[in-house]
Amino acid sequence: MSTLAADYEKTEMGTIQIAPEVIEIIAGMATVEVPGVAGMSGGFAGDIAEFLGRKNMSKGVKVEVGQREAAIDVSVIIEFGTRIPEVASAVQHNVKQAIESMTGLSVVQVNVHIHDVIFKGADKVEEPETLAQRVK
């Protein structure tokens, strides 16, 4: 994942820096909260981490962070039957609102990349009908 380190914000008590990984986690959690999002698509490295039992909350998220602004890219898997433009718009709104409210950063972009569509109950494999079952 390509991230840029955020600049330090100086206050009278010291400095504040929010790590890009924190913003990735916020964006990932805000994305999966949206109805119609089946999951995140994180590519090969993200899939290996989950296979090894490590939950990766920033899977499928790339951020670029400056001192006052952030740009976010999320890669998602959508549930079949949902309206993709509506889900993508809801993801953009939810991610922007979550990051701005939690970090104070201004979100200038939220790019949503749809990588797959999954059927509800896709893990169930139905047996095909045989000729004897179809004809009586």
Side-chain angles (χ1 to χ4, degrees):
M1 289 187 195
S2 171
T3 57
L4 300 175
D7 295 330
Y8 288 95
E9 182 177 328
K10 295 185 186 228
T11 67
E12 55 189 54
M13 295 291 294
T15 59
I16 299 170
Q17 181 185 24
I18 300 170
E21 294 81 12
V22 171
I23 296 166
E24 289 174 354
I25 291 169
I26 294 168
M29 293 179 76
T31 299
V32 297
E33 289 177 350
V34 174
V37 173
M40 303 295 289
S41 176
F44 184 71
D47 291 341
I48 294 270
E50 284 195 358
F51 178 73
L52 296 173
R54 184 171 168 234
K55 190 70 173 162
N56 186 1
M57 295 308 296
S58 63
K59 175 183 177 181
V61 181
K62 288 187 342 184
V63 301
E64 291 182 35
V65 183
Q67 187 172 1
R68 293 181 182 87
E69 296 179 336
I72 318 297
D73 286 274
V74 294
S75 299
V76 298
I77 300 168
I78 300 292
E79 292 177 356
F80 180 79
T82 58
R83 293 191 38 83
I84 293 173
E86 290 175 8
V87 173
S89 179
V91 167
Q92 288 176 319
H93 174 74
N94 209 34
V95 168
K96 178 178 172 69
Q97 192 269 335
I99 291 173
E100 287 182 348
S101 67
M102 291 182 74
T103 67
L105 293 170
S106 174
V107 176
V108 294
Q109 283 186 343
V110 178
N111 301 308
V112 180
H113 306 277
I114 312 300
H115 280 257
D116 202 357
V117 175
I118 193 167
F119 295 93
K120 292 181 182 177
D123 52 348
K124 298 178 184 175
V125 178
E126 294 183 17
E127 295 293 322
E129 292 182 3
T130 63
L131 187 57
Q133 292 172 331
R134 291 187 317 177
V135 180
K136 294 183 182 185

